[in-house]
Amino acid sequence: MRIAYSVETVRAAERELMARLPEGALMQRAAAGLAAACADLLGRVYGSRVALLVGSGDNGGDALYAGARLARRGAGVTAVLLNPERAHGGGLAALRAAGGRVVTAGGGAAGGSAAADSAPSGDAATGGGPAAGGNAAADGRAEAAVARADLVIDGIVGIGGKGGLRPDAERLVRAVRGIAVAVDLPSGVDADTGEVRGSAVRANATITFGAYKPGLLIDPAHTHAGALRLIDIGLDSHLPADPDVEALQHEDVAALLPRPTPESDKYRRGVVGVVAGSARYPGAAVLAVSGALRGGAGAVRYVGPAADDVISRFPETLVHTGPPAKAGRVQSWVVGPGLGDGAAAKHSLDDVLASDVPVLVDADGLHLLPTGSDLRKREAATVLTPHAGEAAALLGVSREEVESGRLAAVRALSERYGATVLLKGSTTLIAAEHQPVRVNPTGTGWLATAGSGDVLSGLIGSLLATGLPARDAASVGAYLHGLAARRATTPHGAPIAAYDVSTALTDTWRDVLA
């Protein structure tokens, strides 16, 4: 499992560790890992050209010391100082001693960011003054060094940075033609939230130290990070047991997947009820059932007006005209996909929410859910699965606010409604009260297709029926759903339809267990 910690938590752990180590030892560990990772990316260090974008914080020091190591291996290394008066003195001396060059760029570093690393927490960050030699000729030399480099190390801003890049840094970043490697995180992104307020570095790889930071796993910042590599600098024993964010991996999902026993029958394995579809949207019922049939439950009970469509595609489905309370015993309910917004749909939602089993509410069910409903009053768990627009309506904010601050939005939804919330998107987030937010790492842009959410709802509902807790069912469902979409698009990344995802779930399940 990948786990991520907030900036405050990481810095506290670093302080504890540094108190036990010789001065500068922690930075040397980070620089050694950074240099080794850059060497791997270059393939051949000797004769390569490396540029360092150096701000005033410790990330600039990491970049300088790593640059010195690469220079000693034969690379031509040029450090571009965005704030020369505040550059790390020891790192500069090490680079010069190894034969590296130093040039300056005019102005400061990242907007509000470079100073934030060295300013007390909560202080407004201030920009550096004009750099020594900060003229057009110096800027031209700096940009030329960056443009010629085979690899550029972004050490502009550290993990405490807020806001986007300042113009001088932005010009240099635009000049990058080679491999861009971020130190700890791409400059200009928010380490705690994944927000990007302004321009930011888009790295091919991010080398992070000691622990992942939430922003590296959450969009939009995640898309700026490229491939992630974690360097062990000895922080593990100083970090708390509960992270801020976590991401499941294959072995975690495999351990959670339900497995029938020799004594199992279809009812012991769980029955999932699906309340979906309408005269206008019968396909939503078919797709939700398709996901439910491949989610581990022993049987699927469909309730609604699309029974003929469901039976014609999936004759193993149990069907009932409704209402849900009279359809027979289930261990979980899925309600909402294609349900419509009429009185019958509202009655079905109320009927399901009055039950004593876990309920997943999606799509039209979310539109029918009264704003601010306290779902803690239910006897069993509730899972809400909104996309950004639905989340915005539930919170009473704009869609743009949700998309730019996804972590804050999913936490707010979980707290307000007392439910497990799965916020769909380029990185799907799962939040439950008093637990770390989970990030699903398997999604693909090809899932942005009509009906894929209906398949996901049925899949998660089925996992709920097998007895998985709500947070685990949502996390495992999102993981399998993303992997199935990837499997369906391979090998060349072809477009897929929602039903392709459901048909790929069986092989995906097998892959995870293997």
Side-chain angles (χ1 to χ4, degrees), residues 19 21 55 77 128 130 133 159 185 209 217 255 280 282 315 382 394 440:
L21 296 175
V77 181
I159 59 175
L185 84 165
F209 309 122
L217 306 180
R280 187 176 181 185
T382 310
L394 290 169
N440 179 57

Side-chain angles (χ1 to χ4, degrees), residues 146-361:
V146 172
R148 287 196 304 267
D150 302 303
L151 183 143
V152 178
I153 298 178
D154 162 29
I156 303 171
V157 179
I159 59 175
K162 306 291 181 185
L165 297 170
R166 286 185 176 164
D168 296 311
E170 188 176 1
R171 279 194 297 273
L172 290 169
V173 169
R174 284 202 302 267
V176 175
R177 301 291 180 267
I179 302 167
V181 179
V183 180
D184 228 0
L185 84 165
S187 295
V189 310
D190 191 302
D192 278 339
T193 68
E195 295 175 68
V196 180
R197 305 185 190 95
S199 62
V201 170
R202 283 192 178 272
N204 300 103
T206 295
I207 314 303
T208 197
F209 309 122
Y212 293 105
K213 289 74 186 176
L216 293 174
L217 306 180
I218 299 169
D219 278 338
H222 174 68
T223 60
H224 287 254
L228 296 177
R229 181 166 175 177
L230 177 65
I231 301 298
D232 181 8
I233 56 173
L235 283 190
D236 285 356
S237 62
H238 301 275
L239 292 166
D242 292 328
D244 292 277
V245 169
E246 60 189 27
L248 299 185
Q249 296 178 294
H250 260 42
E251 62 182 348
D252 307 303
V253 175
L256 291 169
L257 289 178
R259 296 169 175 81
T261 66
E263 294 77 27
S264 295
D265 59 38
K266 62 187 177 186
Y267 296 109
R268 287 175 178 159
R269 290 180 59 194
V271 179
V272 52
V274 176
V275 184
S278 59
R280 187 176 181 185
Y281 301 114
V286 172
L287 290 169
V289 167
S290 75
L293 285 167
R294 295 173 175 88
V300 178
R301 192 183 300 279
Y302 172 74
V303 180
D308 289 344
D309 298 275
V310 170
I311 286 292
S312 67
R313 182 65 69 91
F314 303 114
E316 63 268 48
T317 310
L318 312 173
V319 299
H320 196 279
T321 56
K326 295 183 178 180
R329 180 67 179 167
V330 299
Q331 279 69 54
S332 72
W333 283 109
V334 173
V335 60
L339 197 63
D341 56 3
K346 181 65 168 65
H347 178 76
S348 292
L349 175 65
D350 292 341
D351 208 16
V352 165
L353 289 175
S355 70
D356 59 357
V357 300
V359 172
L360 181 145
V361 184

Side-chain angles (χ1 to χ4, degrees), residues 425-452:
S426 51
T427 50
T428 290
L429 304 181
I430 300 100
E433 288 186 290
H434 314 304
Q435 297 186 78
V437 172
R438 281 185 175 161
V439 182
N440 179 57
T442 65
T444 167
W446 291 116
L447 274 172
T449 185
S452 66

Side-chain angles (χ1 to χ4, degrees), residues 288 333-337 359-367 369 375 382-392 394 406 410 413-414 417 419-425 428-431 452-461 464 470-471 473-475 477-478 481:
W333 283 109
V334 173
V335 60
V359 172
L360 181 145
V361 184
D362 184 34
D364 289 334
L366 295 170
H367 302 153
L369 192 68
L375 298 170
T382 310
V383 179
L384 308 181
T385 58
H387 56 56
E390 292 160 343
L394 290 169
R406 297 176 54 76
V410 75
L413 281 168
S414 180
Y417 288 87
T420 296
V421 177
L422 182 149
L423 177 57
K424 302 170 189 173
T428 290
L429 304 181
I430 300 100
S452 66
D454 304 335
V455 174
L456 176 63
S457 294
L459 173 60
I460 296 173
L464 287 169
R471 178 167 170 262
S475 304
H481 189 247

Side-chain angles (χ1 to χ4, degrees), residues 35-73:
C38 289
D40 289 344
L41 290 167
L42 283 167
R44 182 175 181 271
V45 176
Y46 188 87
S48 64
R49 291 173 293 194
V50 176
L52 318 175
L53 300 180
V54 181
S56 59
D58 284 348
N59 277 28
D62 297 333
L64 288 165
Y65 278 119
R69 289 173 178 267
L70 294 171
R72 288 197 292 271
R73 293 180 59 178

